[in-house]
Amino acid sequence: MSDTTTTAVTEPVIYDYDEIEKHKSHDDLWVVLNGKVYDISRYIDEHPGGEEVILDVAGTDATEAFDDIGHSDEAHEILQKLYIGNLKGAKQVEVKRAQAYETSGSTINLPIIAVIVFLIAFGAYYYKTNF
C-alpha cells in the first residue's frame, strides 16, 4: 500500500472595500494591487520610499501609484510574502513585468537609445562649433 499525501488547495480569502478601508494605520495597513490584497504593516518601516508614500494609499487600491513607480523584481517578491487575499469582484490579471519595451517582436532598450541620440546631438554640435 502506498503512502500518498494530498495537499488541500484553499481558495483565497475575499475582501470587500469596506474591510480594506479599515486597515489604514501604520501598524495595520492593507492595500490592493491588481485585485489582490496585501497586508504591508510589517514592511512599512523598511520601504525605501518612506512610510509616507504608503500611508497615502493605505486602505485603497494602490495599483496606479505602485505601477507608476516601476518597482523592482525584489519589490514584487516581497509582495508575494504579504499577500492575504483578493478584492471582491476584482478581475485577476497577471501582470507580466518587462525589462524593456517590445515593439513588433523586437526589443528596444530606451536608455541605450537615449545615450545614442545624445551622442549624435553632441557630435553634431561639436562639429558645427569647431569646423
Side-chain angles (χ1 to χ4, degrees):
M1 189 175 250
S2 64
D3 183 8
T4 308
T5 306
T6 58
T7 305
V9 177
T10 59
E11 291 293 317
V13 177
I14 305 297
Y15 298 100
D16 61 19
Y17 266 117
D18 290 338
E19 179 63 26
I20 294 162
E21 290 174 345
K22 295 176 186 175
H23 303 273
K24 54 186 175 184
S25 69
H26 181 278
D27 296 324
D28 182 21
L29 200 154
W30 293 8
V31 294
V32 175
L33 298 170
N34 297 308
K36 295 184 178 184
V37 181
Y38 299 90
D39 179 351
I40 56 176
S41 308
R42 64 180 185 209
Y43 180 71
I44 190 169
D45 292 328
E46 299 173 36
H47 185 255
E51 67 182 52
E52 296 81 18
V53 295
I54 294 178
L55 286 169
D56 285 345
V57 295
T60 69
D61 187 332
T63 304
E64 187 175 342
F66 184 84
D67 289 345
D68 285 348
I69 300 300
H71 285 82
S72 66
D73 289 337
E74 182 181 6
H76 287 266
E77 290 171 15
I78 291 168
L79 271 179
Q80 290 176 2
K81 298 172 188 169
L82 304 175
Y83 170 76
I84 59 170
N86 293 336
L87 175 63
K88 182 178 181 179
K91 185 176 180 181
Q92 297 302 308
V93 178
E94 287 299 317
V95 177
K96 295 183 180 179
R97 301 183 65 240
Q99 297 299 325
Y101 293 95
E102 294 185 21
T103 306
S104 305
S106 64
T107 302
I108 300 171
N109 193 334
L110 291 181
I112 291 175
I113 292 173
V115 169
I116 291 170
V117 169
F118 173 78
L119 291 174
I120 291 170
F122 179 77
Y125 173 77
Y126 182 79
Y127 181 79
K128 185 176 180 178
T129 59
N130 290 314
F131 294 103

